[in-house]
Amino acid sequence: MAKKINIAMLGTGFMGKAHSNGWLKVAKFFDVPYEPVFKVVFGRNKAVTDAFAARWGYESSTQDWKEVMARDDVDIVCIVTTTNMHKEMVLEAAKHGKAIFCEKPIGLSYQEASEMAEAVKKAGVLNYLNHNYRRVPAVAYAKKLIDEGKLGTIYHWRGAYLQDWIMSPDFPLTWHLQKETANAGPLWDLGSHSVDLAQFLVGDISAVTAINKTFITERPLPGSGAAAFAAGKSESSGKGKVTVDDASFMVAEFANGALGSFENSRFSGGRKNYNNFEIYGSKGSITFNNERMNELQFLNREEDPDIQGFKDIMITESTHPYAGAWWAPGHIIGYEHPFIHAMADFLNALKDGKPINPNMEDGKKIMQVLDAALKSNEEGRKVALSEIK
C-alpha cells in the first residue's frame, strides 16, 4: 500500500482546480509510491477558499501562506498563485525543506529565477516547474523521434501560441495585464511554454530579436469574479492602463545553428489554445497542434518521393509515452492529463531522490530568453543571451 503524502495548494483559481484534479487522479491511473492527501489550501478570499476546500476535499483552508510553509504535516507545496508571488513562496518553501511543484512562468525576471534556482539547489529539495506540454504524449513522442535521429540535423523551429480571450475592449484589467503582477503579457504567459518546448526539443537558444505590441491600452477596472478567461462583473466605471504586451513576435538563433520563430498573441480571433509548433530537419519534419493534442504529423524525407508526405499519427497506442496508463488505443485524452503525468513523474522522482525536468534551473534558462526578448523590443536590436545576467 502506497505511503501517504501531504499536499498544500497555494491558489484557488483555474490552476488550483487543474492541479487538485491531477493530485486526485494520479494514484488511480499510475503506479506511484505515494498517495496524495489534501491537507490545506491557501487563498486570499476566505469564503472562496473555504468553498474550494469543501469542494475538493482539503482538510483546512487559510489566508496565511507562510503558516502553510512552516507546517510539519505538509510535504509538497503546489504554487499556483499570481506570478509575482512565486519567488517569495519558492524561497520560503525551500527554507522549510518542502518539495515544490510550481506553475509557470517561474517569475518576473531572470534575476528572480536565478534566486529561486539557487535557493532550491542550496536546500536540496525536489522542485518542478509545470510546463505541462512536455508531458503531452504526442510531444513526448516527438522528443523520442528527435533523439532517435529521425529528423536528422534540425534546421528550424516555427512556434505559434495563440489565444483570443482578451480581444474585447470590455475585458477588465486583470492581474495578467499589469506589469507589477505579470511583468509581460503573452510573451511571458504563452512564450514561456513555447520557449520551454523549443529548448526541450531543439536545443538552447543563444540570441533573439523581438517586437511587442499593446493593442488596447486602457481597460475597465476588474470586479468580482474577474480572472483568466473570465471577465467577471465590473463594480467600477473607472479604467486603468494596460502595462504589458498583447502580442509578441520573436526570431531566435539556437546554439546548434538552427533558427526559430515564435508568435505569441492573445489577439488571434478564433484561436482558443492554439499551441502549435513545426520542426524541420534534414531527414524529416514534425508538426503539432495542441488543439488536436492526440495527433502528431511526421514526414520522413528518406521515403520514396512518390509516396512522401506528412503522416498523421494517433498517439494513443500503449507503446506511446504515458498513453498506456489510460484507455484502449484510439480513445483520446484531454487537457488535464499532462498535469497527471507530471505528478506521477514528480512522485517517482521524490521516491528515487532524482531530479525532474523542467525545474527551476530550466525556468532560469527560459527567463533568460524572455528577458532578452524584452530588451530586444526596448532597444530595437538583436540581443545575445550572454547579455542577460
Side-chain angles (χ1 to χ4, degrees):
M1 190 173 183
K3 181 183 177 182
K4 306 285 187 183
I5 195 159
N6 297 331
I7 309 292
M9 186 65 58
L10 306 182
T12 60
F14 172 36
M15 281 297 132
K17 291 189 288 185
H19 285 238
S20 295
N21 177 69
W23 290 117
L24 273 178
K25 293 181 178 176
V26 63
K28 307 294 184 185
F29 288 91
F30 289 86
D31 292 327
V32 291
Y34 304 104
E35 181 181 346
V37 175
F38 286 5
K39 274 291 172 183
V40 59
V41 57
F42 157 81
R44 292 173 175 146
N45 183 297
K46 185 177 188 307
V48 170
T49 310
D50 288 348
F52 187 96
R55 176 181 287 270
W56 289 97
Y58 286 89
E59 294 178 8
S60 62
S61 67
T62 182
Q63 280 65 64
D64 183 355
W65 65 263
K66 288 188 176 180
E67 176 267 330
V68 172
M69 301 299 189
R71 287 176 58 157
D72 292 333
D73 62 347
V74 167
D75 302 304
I76 298 170
V77 292
C78 206
I79 300 171
V80 296
T81 56
T82 54
T83 307
N84 62 310
M85 298 180 73
H86 288 185
K87 187 191 88 167
E88 191 178 2
M89 287 181 165
V90 166
L91 297 186
E92 192 73 12
K95 185 173 75 173
H96 288 280
K98 309 301 185 188
I100 301 166
F101 196 106
C102 183
E103 254 308 314
K104 48 58 63 182
I106 185 173
L108 298 180
S109 67
Y110 175 70
Q111 183 177 5
E112 279 199 357
S114 298
E115 290 181 54
M116 295 159 77
E118 179 62 28
V120 296
K121 180 180 178 181
K122 183 178 179 181
V125 295
L126 181 68
N127 62 100
Y128 170 73
L129 184 64
N130 190 43
H131 284 287
N132 52 298
Y133 295 113
R134 282 199 190 194
R135 286 175 168 80
V136 172
V139 174
Y141 189 64
K143 173 67 170 172
K144 181 175 183 289
L145 293 176
I146 291 168
D147 288 348
E148 290 174 349
K150 297 291 177 62
L151 268 63
T153 300
I154 294 177
Y155 296 132
H156 62 95
W157 156 283
R158 180 176 182 269
Y161 200 159
L162 311 175
Q163 297 176 344
D164 69 355
W165 54 284
I166 64 165
M167 289 185 68
S168 169
D170 295 327
F171 191 90
L173 189 69
T174 60
W175 71 267
H176 314 80
L177 303 172
Q178 300 173 63
K179 187 174 179 65
E180 61 266 26
T181 46
N183 197 38
L187 174 61
W188 246 237
D189 181 27
L190 309 181
S192 62
H193 272 313
S194 292
V195 168
D196 178 66
L197 285 178
Q199 297 198 131
F200 174 56
L201 295 169
V202 178
D204 289 348
I205 291 169
S206 59
V208 300
T209 306
I211 183 168
N212 302 335
K213 180 73 173 181
T214 304
F215 299 112
I216 297 176
T217 58
E218 285 190 335
R219 290 184 177 274
L221 297 176
S224 60
F229 311 111
K233 183 179 179 181
S234 180
E235 297 163 354
S236 170
S237 59
K239 288 192 172 185
K241 186 178 180 182
V242 176
T243 51
V244 302
D245 51 288
D246 287 329
S248 177
F249 286 19
M250 178 175 76
V251 293
E253 299 173 20
F254 290 84
N256 59 15
L259 294 179
S261 67
F262 297 79
E263 303 172 30
N264 298 293
S265 176
R266 296 180 182 143
F267 271 69
S268 301
R271 298 300 190 190
K272 303 304 177 184
N273 197 39
Y274 185 82
N275 185 1
N276 176 85
F277 65 75
E278 302 168 6
I279 304 174
Y280 299 99
S282 60
K283 293 182 180 180
S285 304
I286 286 173
T287 74
F288 170 77
N289 171 16
N290 189 65
E291 290 183 346
R292 303 177 68 92
M293 67 178 289
N294 291 272
E295 302 173 28
L296 184 72
Q297 289 192 314
F298 171 64
L299 169 75
N300 181 359
R301 294 193 67 251
E302 295 184 326
E303 285 187 326
D304 189 313
D306 292 346
I307 61 169
Q308 195 177 114
F310 277 97
K311 178 188 297 184
D312 196 1
I313 307 171
M314 285 292 292
I315 310 294
T316 59
E317 296 293 324
S318 61
T319 51
H320 289 137
Y322 302 106
W326 296 104
W327 321 120
H331 293 71
I332 60 176
I333 62 170
Y335 171 75
E336 70 273 23
H337 292 84
F339 289 80
I340 303 169
H341 302 159
M343 288 155 186
D345 289 346
F346 186 88
L347 292 176
N348 282 313
L350 188 61
K351 175 182 177 292
D352 295 338
K354 295 180 179 178
I356 179 174
N357 299 99
N359 52 33
M360 298 297 157
E361 191 63 34
D362 296 302
K364 174 181 168 183
K365 291 169 63 177
I366 295 165
M367 201 52 58
Q368 190 174 29
V369 175
L370 300 183
D371 263 5
L374 278 183
K375 187 177 181 69
S376 173
N377 175 71
E378 291 166 0
E379 300 181 4
R381 65 179 181 88
K382 181 171 76 173
V383 174
L385 264 65
S386 58
E387 297 181 47
I388 307 301
K389 298 176 181 177

